[in-house]
Amino acid sequence: GEEVAQTPKHLVRGEGQKAKLYCAPIKGHSYVFWYQQVLKNEFKFLISFQNENVFDETGMPKERFSAKCLPNSPCSLEIQATKLEDSAVYFCASSQSPGSGNTIYFGEGSWLTVV
Amino acid sequence: GQNIDQPTEMTATEGAIVQINCTYQTSGFNGLFWYQQHAGEAPTFLSYNVLDGLEEKGRFSSFLSRSKGYSYLLLKELQMKDSASYLCAVRGGMDSSYKLIFGSGTRLLVRP
């Protein structure tokens, strides 16, 4: 597709429940990034993929967060046993190769509310 | 370390010009991006600079000086709809896996 597609747009979970978010990158883009935005403008990097391979996972909380990008499937970000502090907007972004001139495009975001 | 600084808030008048500055210190550099984000929406790409100089795109221009670690976004003929947050982000090199490092954003309020 011509845009980064994220689902669901809104998700409400009780503390301790699982949350799973999906992202379809722009067709032809081989890099996928997940960011968490809490309190308006603070963007926190979570993880990136090059095709189906984890490229950088240094931002991922190890215990409860996991992510995958499998061939012919949307990428996913899963949070086990959600906590109140996980309430945030989760943005997925994609780009072609990281070379000069290749823009990173963002999806609409998934709003996770943990109650 | 990685650090990107931009003013927290700015106010300007409709029809005027505003310049939003951004300074950065990053371990690698693979381009600087400006995004616009309206409340509750996704960041929208505005501009990209990887070489020194000015890039102009309609009412928006962006400038980069790599030696000074400095960029600015210039918005001309301000409109009310330009009220939004403006995010400065640097794309790191391979050592930081080409990810975007964001500043905290500048909230711009355009007044009539």
Side-chain angles (χ1 to χ4, degrees), chain A residues 12 16 29-31 37-38 73 75 80-81 86 88-89 99 107-108:
Chain A
V12 180
H29 284 192
S30 55
Y31 282 81
Q37 188 179 31
V38 180
S73 296
C75 297
Q80 301 284 345
D86 298 331
V89 186
E108 294 286 311

Side-chain angles (χ1 to χ4, degrees), chain A residues 35 37 41 56 95 98 104 107, chain B residues 30 35 37 42 97 99-100 104:
Chain A
Y35 284 86
Q37 188 179 31
N41 289 340
D56 182 347
S95 76
I104 298 178
Chain B
N30 201 21
Y35 288 88
Q37 187 179 27
S97 66
K99 61 180 175 280
L100 283 177
S104 296

Side-chain angles (χ1 to χ4, degrees), chain A residues 9 13-14 34 36 40 59 62 69 103-104 106 113-114:
Chain A
K9 189 164 177 67
R13 286 289 179 265
W34 283 99
Q36 180 194 57
K40 297 182 183 177
K62 293 294 184 190
C69 277
T103 301
I104 298 178
F106 283 80
T113 302
V114 180

